[in-house]
Amino acid sequence: MAAPTKRRISYFYDSDIGNFHYGQGHPMKPHRVRMTHSLVVYYWLYRNMEILRPKPVLLSEMTRFHSDDYINFLRVITPDNMQEYMRQLQRFNVGEDCPVFDGLFEFCQLYTSGSIGGAALLNQKEADIVINWSGGLHHAKKSEASGFCYVNDCVLAILELLKHHHRVLYIDIDIHHGDGVEEAFYTTDRVMTVSFHKFGEYFPGTGDVSDFGHGNGKNYAINFPLHDGMDDESFVSVFRPVIGKVMETFAPGAIVLQCGADSLSGDRLGCFNLSLKGHADAVAFVKSFDVPVLALGGGGYTLRNVPRCWVYETSVLQGTEIKDDLPFHDYFEYYGPDYKLHLPVSNMENLNTKPYLETIKQQLFTILSQVSPTGAQIQTGQPGTSMTPPDAALPETARERESEMEERDPDTRVGDVGEGRKEHPLEMMPEGDGTRR
């Protein structure tokens, strides 16, 4: 047999992502992405990937899904002018879980740019796997922030992939239901959403097994509701058969995989009991189908565990083994006292019984047996095509912003001018490593 072709992997990262801060005491910490990148560098994993800094997306790309007034609101709102926008703050659900902070729009632009840019790379066949650990903010709605998420980069990446792929599969292993993505594609058969999540008196409260799509999208929303204490053995026993059946019946041209790390044991907001290997088994299984994959981040609120998870899953996507002993690096002290990659699971009870898991699995197999072999059209918002909605024109303020962004030097990062942000030293790779910045 011929040796398998090596998968081409691209990795999006901008060191500015670690400069943004949701506020004191808030569980969402973008700094975790910078910590992940530090481990990627010091485990030498960057040598096996093309390292890219995302090109800032335009407002018109964000409004392929989100409403113009919502995106314009995110662009103008600041901690200093909040009092002038009290009605809009309430209307767009911005303020508590989704606070206003300095650089909010630039933050949204950064993580979204990596996901849309990654989808474009897959479309152009310049990569087989693309990684953007800053993305995966799956709760945001068309005109509303939700669950720490403002712009739904998952939806926008899927819309980009739909320009070249007839069918796109979205898989979500965050402990929270991927409600924003499911809602966006609930009535189409060109996108199947599959979510494995905690269900029952838990945010966002959606994702029952009986929620399986509507209209043309009937049977194309797959939900596996789970209980507290989900462990590796139980997770693998449901994930592999369900995704195997999905791949058999739906046959996607590309996959978006949301790898929320809040399903790990010991997460600050989670209640599952997965190890790194159990979580990453899902990543390895998805990779095994040899279909283009966009791997995104998502939840994850125990700061020392999220980088462990995502650097390990970077190694899994590469097929590279890394040592359990963490390399000495900028954030080494976060991982004491053991300084190991893999973390122990707890002795919490697994409330997911085998009969329960089997019952849900068979229900999903029944739903999947009704998936049709063809799909209908969906509006992608691609300019200059018949698939663009007739009322997709941007308002004057958005056109002005887009014009400003087009005139900007593409090699200058958003926020470089006048904001006093410094480049993080880890963004600059050793010379001669063969990667493109």
Side-chain angles (χ1 to χ4, degrees):
M1 292 180 62
T5 305
K6 188 174 181 64
R7 309 289 300 274
R8 297 166 301 159
I9 304 177
S10 293
Y11 169 97
F12 280 89
Y13 175 72
D14 190 311
S15 65
D16 274 355
I17 198 72
N19 294 337
F20 298 101
H21 192 248
Y22 276 60
Q24 186 174 5
H26 199 289
M28 174 63 105
K29 301 186 184 303
H31 181 62
R32 65 204 179 132
V33 181
R34 179 179 283 171
M35 291 175 62
T36 300
H37 182 69
S38 182
L39 283 175
V40 166
V41 170
Y42 282 91
Y43 267 120
W44 297 96
L45 294 173
Y46 74 92
R47 296 182 299 178
N48 306 319
M49 306 183 289
E50 182 180 43
I51 310 297
L52 302 171
R53 192 180 71 205
K55 179 182 177 181
V57 295
L58 304 177
L59 264 73
S60 58
E61 294 176 274
M62 293 184 179
T63 54
R64 288 178 186 168
F65 171 59
H66 294 287
S67 64
D68 293 338
D69 51 357
Y70 175 57
I71 293 299
N72 280 319
F73 167 77
L74 292 178
R75 182 174 63 85
V76 301
I77 193 71
T78 69
D80 295 330
N81 66 14
M82 283 175 58
Q83 298 304 316
E84 303 170 26
Y85 294 93
M86 297 308 294
R87 289 181 62 186
Q88 290 94 328
L89 287 166
Q90 185 174 9
R91 173 187 171 194
F92 297 127
N93 194 37
V94 173
E96 294 187 6
D97 281 355
C98 304
V100 177
F101 54 86
D102 287 325
L104 171 59
F105 182 75
E106 286 74 18
F107 170 68
C108 296
Q109 196 174 35
L110 257 188
Y111 73 75
T112 301
S113 298
S115 298
I116 295 178
L121 275 186
L122 294 177
N123 284 345
Q124 296 155 11
K125 297 185 173 12
E126 293 186 13
D128 304 305
I129 297 170
V130 178
I131 300 169
N132 175 30
W133 294 130
S134 67
L137 277 70
H138 58 168
H139 293 306
K141 309 298 194 301
K142 181 181 179 68
S143 299
E144 182 179 308
S146 178
F148 316 156
C149 307
Y150 302 87
V151 173
N152 199 316
D153 63 293
C154 308
V155 170
L156 293 169
I158 291 169
L159 289 174
E160 183 70 24
L161 290 167
L162 286 170
K163 295 177 183 178
H164 288 254
H165 300 279
H166 187 61
R167 285 184 158 183
V168 176
L169 172 62
Y170 173 77
I171 303 172
D172 194 316
I173 58 174
D174 193 291
I175 195 171
H176 300 98
H177 178 232
D179 58 332
V181 185
E182 178 183 280
E183 181 179 303
F185 300 108
Y186 205 62
T187 59
T188 178
D189 56 0
R190 287 190 64 198
V191 177
M192 178 174 283
T193 58
V194 186
S195 182
F196 299 82
H197 52 269
K198 156 79 173 173
F199 182 74
E201 297 184 2
Y202 198 74
F203 182 86
T206 52
D208 197 358
V209 68
S210 59
D211 301 327
F212 49 76
H214 180 74
N216 289 337
K218 185 178 180 181
N219 304 317
Y220 290 85
I222 304 299
N223 287 299
F224 207 121
L226 299 165
H227 304 311
D228 291 9
M230 191 67 176
D231 60 22
D232 291 358
E233 182 182 359
S234 296
F235 184 65
V236 171
S237 75
V238 296
F239 185 88
R240 284 181 169 251
V242 170
I243 295 302
K245 181 62 72 173
V246 165
M247 295 300 292
E248 176 188 329
T249 57
F250 185 65
I255 299 171
V256 175
L257 176 60
Q258 199 268 18
C259 304
D262 47 7
S263 44
L264 290 175
S265 180
D267 187 80
R268 178 177 170 185
L269 300 185
C271 53
F272 282 1
N273 200 24
L274 297 180
S275 71
L276 258 61
K277 290 184 177 179
H279 195 274
D281 186 80
V283 177
F285 189 63
V286 169
K287 177 193 172 190
S288 71
F289 289 95
D290 204 22
V291 172
V293 174
L294 174 62
L296 304 175
Y301 307 103
T302 298
L303 192 57
R304 64 186 179 275
N305 290 348
V306 180
R308 284 173 156 129
C309 179
W310 290 344
V311 74
Y312 181 63
E313 289 176 352
T314 300
S315 76
V316 167
L317 288 167
Q318 289 186 6
T320 302
E321 290 190 14
I322 56 177
K323 295 180 179 179
D324 191 32
D325 291 320
L326 290 170
F328 185 80
H329 63 292
D330 291 4
Y331 308 106
F332 189 69
E333 68 277 6
Y334 280 73
Y335 303 97
D338 57 349
Y339 305 102
K340 300 290 186 182
L341 173 65
H342 293 278
L343 48 100
V345 296
S346 77
N347 61 356
M348 69 185 300
E349 182 184 0
N350 182 4
L351 301 181
N352 300 276
T353 64
K354 288 184 178 180
Y356 170 76
L357 295 176
E358 186 63 30
T359 298
I360 300 296
K361 188 165 62 176
Q362 292 306 319
Q363 286 180 260
L364 295 181
F365 285 170
T366 300
I367 294 169
L368 288 167
S369 68
Q370 301 172 60
V371 169
S372 68
T374 58
Q377 294 297 317
I378 185 173
Q379 292 177 333
T380 67
Q382 183 178 10
T385 73
S386 59
M387 299 173 74
T388 304
D391 59 347
L394 289 173
E396 191 64 31
T397 53
R399 283 200 298 273
E400 290 171 359
R401 173 69 174 177
E402 185 169 317
S403 176
E404 292 171 10
M405 294 176 72
E406 287 173 348
E407 292 172 2
R408 181 183 289 120
D409 180 353
D411 293 326
T412 301
R413 184 185 303 107
V414 174
D416 275 352
V417 181
E419 294 187 12
R421 292 186 185 155
K422 295 181 180 179
E423 257 185 0
H424 190 269
L426 281 177
E427 186 182 19
M428 305 308 297
M429 299 298 170
E431 292 184 6
D433 61 11
T435 56
R436 174 161 61 94
R437 295 296 297 171

